[in-house]
Amino acid sequence: MDRCRVQCYDYPTCPDVKAPREEVAYVTCTYRETCIDQPDYLATIDLNPRSPCYCQMIEPVDVFWKCNKGYLNVPRSLPNGDILIANTGDAAGNAKGGFIVLDGETFELKGNWENECETPPSGYDFWYQPRYNVLISSAGVVPKRAGRGFCPNDLKKGIYGRRLNVWNLSCRSLIQCFDLGEDSLPLSVKFLHNPDAAEGYVSCALSGIVYRFYKCEANNWAVEEVIRIPAKDVTGWIMPKMPAFTVDLVISVDDRYLYLCNWWHGDIRQYELSKTCKPRLVGQVFVGGSILRGGPVTVCRDEELKCQPEPLVIKCKRVYGGPSKLQLSLDGKRLYVTNSLYSTWDKQFYPSMVREGSVMLQIDVDTEKGGLTVNKNFLVDFGKEPNGPCLAHDIRFASGDSTSDILA
């Protein structure tokens, strides 16, 4: 299985040289909540357009973790080669942040990374910047509650996280915490790739806000709102307002563009970052979602769109679900997306996707002027798996990618 790596080279000239086209992708897949009794596995996808197996899966590998922590989430390599994994809950499913450390060679459990007295109440994602000796981590959802699906009555009850945590990387100690608002649910965290840049972004799923975090005087850090995606007034949905549920955030290796996926609304957005404090929307494409024309949801008021988007059909297959996890090629020209978020929530919001299986799509990127286009020649259909339709989630490239490599 691909490991996140720490790359040591000059920025930004070297990424242009060390950017072979991705030929293999690893995608995590699950059968939970699909009524199919099969283990989770890692699918290997052929991404070479010249290959006879293009867009096809080869032999799957069963994947499971054996660890004392309850709910492990995002792994990344540390500068010393060990593997750091964010935790979201304890063994009983209660919210619990913090990290575990695995030996980078043997994958043996070394123990907790953080000082025990400083474990945050919840956790989800993280990124670090070696040159500033800092690690930034986000909050998450109480696992046992999230496992029962999304319930509007859970809002304002502390089920959804609200903190952004700043850590001293070498001392493994918590030095600052930012409260991003009730039920903001900060999830995806990314620093700019430039190792000299002391700034990055965190997307908040329920508020539709992206915050920029940055280093100010001394060793203090600050946050500011830079993107806000408005909610839509709707009927036929679980709530009268549908917020922008921004699950994933990716930054191109050259730090020119930021990409957001919006699982409920169904769109992927491209923002230009020449002014990091004022990202500029330059591309948008819909690849599913809950507001499609002809569906059960009617949009009554929309600050952005004049009409509801059309359903997406690729190679005669209707695409259900919404964009969940993103991965960007090293040259920034191909954005890959899967549409399964969490099996219980998939079943609640997109039952057709659970029945028919999720998909992996390719979005062609205009890296000069900005712009996104769905590649109608690319479709990985996880509904055609030998054991039945399954749900695809995280994407990693064997040759390195925009969410795995940290420049030291």
Side-chain angles (χ1 to χ4, degrees):
M1 187 174 74
D2 179 44
R3 277 210 324 242
C4 302
R5 297 164 295 178
V6 179
Q7 298 287 350
C8 299
Y9 48 72
D10 292 335
Y11 177 94
T13 57
C14 204
D16 293 332
V17 177
K18 297 177 179 287
R21 181 181 174 116
E22 64 285 355
E23 295 192 352
V24 173
Y26 300 127
V27 181
T28 56
C29 301
T30 184
Y31 278 107
R32 296 175 190 176
E33 301 295 329
T34 65
C35 299
I36 297 176
D37 186 16
Q38 293 291 331
D40 296 350
Y41 67 94
L42 188 72
T44 307
I45 311 297
D46 189 335
L47 300 180
N48 186 346
R50 297 180 298 277
S51 170
C53 298
Y54 182 52
C55 295
Q56 297 180 20
M57 289 164 273
I58 63 184
E59 189 69 21
V61 180
D62 289 343
V63 175
F64 63 92
W65 290 92
K66 293 183 178 180
C67 183
N68 293 328
K69 284 277 189 177
Y71 291 80
L72 304 181
N73 195 29
V74 176
R76 303 195 194 283
S77 284
L78 290 170
N80 66 358
D82 284 344
I83 299 170
L84 188 65
I85 305 178
N87 189 66
T88 65
D90 61 19
N94 301 303
K96 182 180 182 181
F99 310 85
I100 67 164
V101 181
L102 301 183
D103 186 283
E105 297 296 330
T106 66
F107 296 99
E108 293 181 1
L109 176 64
K110 284 190 170 183
N112 291 325
W113 179 81
E114 74 284 354
N115 299 321
E116 185 61 31
C117 62
E118 298 185 82
T119 302
S122 61
Y124 184 82
D125 192 15
F126 71 97
W127 198 274
Y128 64 88
Q129 176 51 283
R131 295 189 185 181
Y132 294 95
N133 191 35
V134 66
L135 181 149
I136 308 286
S137 68
S138 64
V141 182
V142 177
K144 65 181 180 182
R145 188 62 196 87
R148 297 197 290 268
F150 175 80
C151 178
N153 293 333
D154 288 338
L155 298 172
K156 304 184 185 303
K157 292 183 179 180
I159 300 298
Y160 303 103
R162 57 193 294 172
R163 283 177 39 162
L164 186 70
N165 305 301
V166 183
W167 302 79
N168 182 300
L169 181 62
S170 59
C171 296
R172 306 181 179 188
S173 58
L174 195 58
I175 56 175
Q176 274 185 277
C177 295
F178 296 100
D179 189 332
L180 301 182
E182 190 172 52
D183 297 322
S184 56
L185 191 55
L187 293 181
S188 186
V189 176
K190 299 291 186 298
F191 266 99
L192 292 179
H193 291 280
N194 186 341
D196 288 326
E199 60 181 314
Y201 302 90
V202 56
S203 61
C204 296
L206 283 172
S207 66
I209 297 174
V210 174
Y211 291 93
R212 171 180 171 255
F213 53 84
Y214 59 96
K215 190 176 184 296
C216 42
E217 69 277 358
N219 290 320
N220 291 325
W221 292 74
V223 298
E224 62 176 348
E225 179 183 323
V226 294
I227 297 172
R228 178 184 288 265
I229 302 174
K232 302 179 188 296
D233 292 347
V234 297
T235 59
W237 198 64
I238 194 172
M239 296 189 296
K241 283 187 177 291
M242 183 186 293
F245 200 82
T246 51
V247 180
D248 206 4
L249 178 157
V250 175
I251 299 173
S252 61
V253 176
D254 59 10
D255 291 337
R256 290 185 61 193
Y257 296 106
L258 177 151
Y259 301 88
L260 279 176
C261 63
N262 188 343
W263 195 62
W264 279 338
H265 293 176
D267 59 319
I268 300 172
R269 297 174 178 233
Q270 179 190 27
Y271 291 86
E272 190 268 334
L273 295 178
S274 59
K275 295 182 179 179
T276 57
C277 60
K278 293 184 178 180
R280 181 171 63 94
L281 182 64
V282 294
Q284 183 180 28
V285 65
F286 280 82
V287 294
S290 296
I291 62 167
L292 298 177
R293 185 188 299 271
V297 176
T298 299
V299 178
C300 307
R301 181 175 178 273
D302 195 326
E303 297 181 26
E304 298 182 315
L305 302 178
K306 295 181 179 180
C307 59
Q308 295 178 232
E310 297 291 336
L312 178 63
V313 177
I314 299 181
K315 294 185 175 182
C316 300
K317 180 180 176 67
R318 164 74 183 271
V319 175
Y320 295 97
S324 175
K325 300 298 290 186
L326 300 173
Q327 190 54 265
L328 183 67
S329 61
L330 290 176
D331 62 8
K333 296 181 179 180
R334 293 167 301 281
L335 184 67
Y336 297 89
V337 56
T338 55
N339 56 355
S340 168
L341 170 66
Y342 186 72
S343 57
T344 307
W345 291 41
D346 292 344
K347 190 174 182 179
Q348 178 181 5
F349 290 101
Y350 300 115
S352 295
M353 181 189 68
V354 176
R355 289 193 302 269
E356 298 191 17
S358 62
V359 298
M360 176 175 165
L361 307 175
Q362 179 184 315
I363 311 300
D364 293 332
V365 179
D366 184 336
T367 58
E368 297 300 321
K369 299 180 180 179
L372 303 175
T373 306
V374 176
N375 187 325
K376 293 297 186 74
N377 295 318
F378 185 100
L379 175 71
V380 179
D381 186 356
F382 290 91
K384 296 181 178 179
E385 287 290 82
N387 292 317
C390 71
L391 305 174
H393 195 58
D394 276 309
I395 309 168
R396 293 289 186 270
F397 299 148
S399 56
D401 52 57
S402 298
T403 63
S404 296
D405 292 353
I406 295 178
L407 311 186

